[in-house]
Amino acid sequence: MHLVMGSDHAGYTLKEHLKPIIIGWGHAVKDVGCHCEAPVDYPDIAEEVVKIIKSGQADLGLLVCGTGQGMAIAANKVPGIRAAVCSDGFSARAAREHNDANILALGARVVGSGAAELIVKQFLESSYSGGRHQRRLDLIRDIENKYLKQGEK
Ligand code: RB5
């Protein structure tokens, strides 16, 4: 699996903790930053991760900020991106199996490093189930298309 990861300053330490663990599981990891604890704006990092996924250079993304929420909100502005904030392994697995989530967003101020490892493992080891879920993903794509045409009001 090719994974692209990014964090803001609030998620930096957790991102750095997770990176060698994920590599140790056999995945290829691209880190778009940040690279220290100096404040950065999470939408900029979310967009960098999204660009790598949209270009096909990565299969999945991992975004870490204080809560995971800002990263997910920013990433989900891009059509075709399905970013899920997860604080438990069950949700991470369901996000892949039911929602075909392509980004996991973690909150470094919400989950500890041990829980984060388990959440990421569930996310990476689960895959989309298809079947009845596809109709719902198609409906999400319809919403994207409708509002893309309509534009910002
Ligand atoms: C940064 O203080 C914090 O707002 C950010 O990491 C994130 O939690 C936003 O959603």
Side-chain angles (χ1 to χ4, degrees):
M1 193 78 77
H2 285 260
L3 182 82
V4 55
M5 66 196 307
S7 75
D8 70 356
H9 51 289
Y12 169 73
T13 302
L14 182 56
K15 171 174 69 70
E16 292 302 306
H17 172 80
L18 292 170
K19 187 166 35 176
I21 293 170
I22 295 168
I23 292 168
W25 291 335
H27 302 288
V29 170
K30 180 174 177 61
D31 181 358
V32 303
C34 61
H35 300 293
C36 68
E37 287 180 326
V40 290
D41 297 321
Y42 61 80
D44 294 335
I45 302 291
E47 189 180 7
E48 287 306 309
V49 162
V50 163
K51 275 197 247 173
I52 302 282
I53 293 173
K54 294 292 286 185
S55 72
Q57 296 172 71
D59 308 299
L60 296 173
L62 172 62
L63 285 166
V64 192
C65 64
T67 60
Q69 304 293 352
M71 287 292 199
I73 290 168
N76 280 324
K77 295 297 173 192
V78 178
I81 293 298
R82 293 174 297 279
V85 182
C86 298
S87 301
D88 64 276
F90 174 80
S91 299
R93 193 176 77 204
R96 289 286 300 123
E97 291 180 348
H98 292 210
N99 313 115
D100 198 17
N102 47 15
I103 292 181
L104 169 65
L106 289 176
R109 294 171 180 162
V110 181
V111 295
S113 56
E117 288 170 29
L118 293 177
I119 295 164
V120 174
K121 197 167 176 30
Q122 285 290 315
F123 191 78
L124 293 177
E125 292 182 357
S126 304
S127 55
Y128 178 48
S129 303
R132 71 185 191 280
H133 303 295
Q134 188 55 47
R135 183 168 51 82
R136 292 144 189 174
L137 292 195
D138 291 343
L139 288 167
I140 292 173
R141 194 197 50 216
D142 290 348
I143 295 170
E144 284 176 343
N145 289 338
K146 183 162 73 180
Y147 286 90
L148 278 172
K149 278 185 213 137
Q150 192 172 302
E152 184 71 26
K153 287 226 165 90

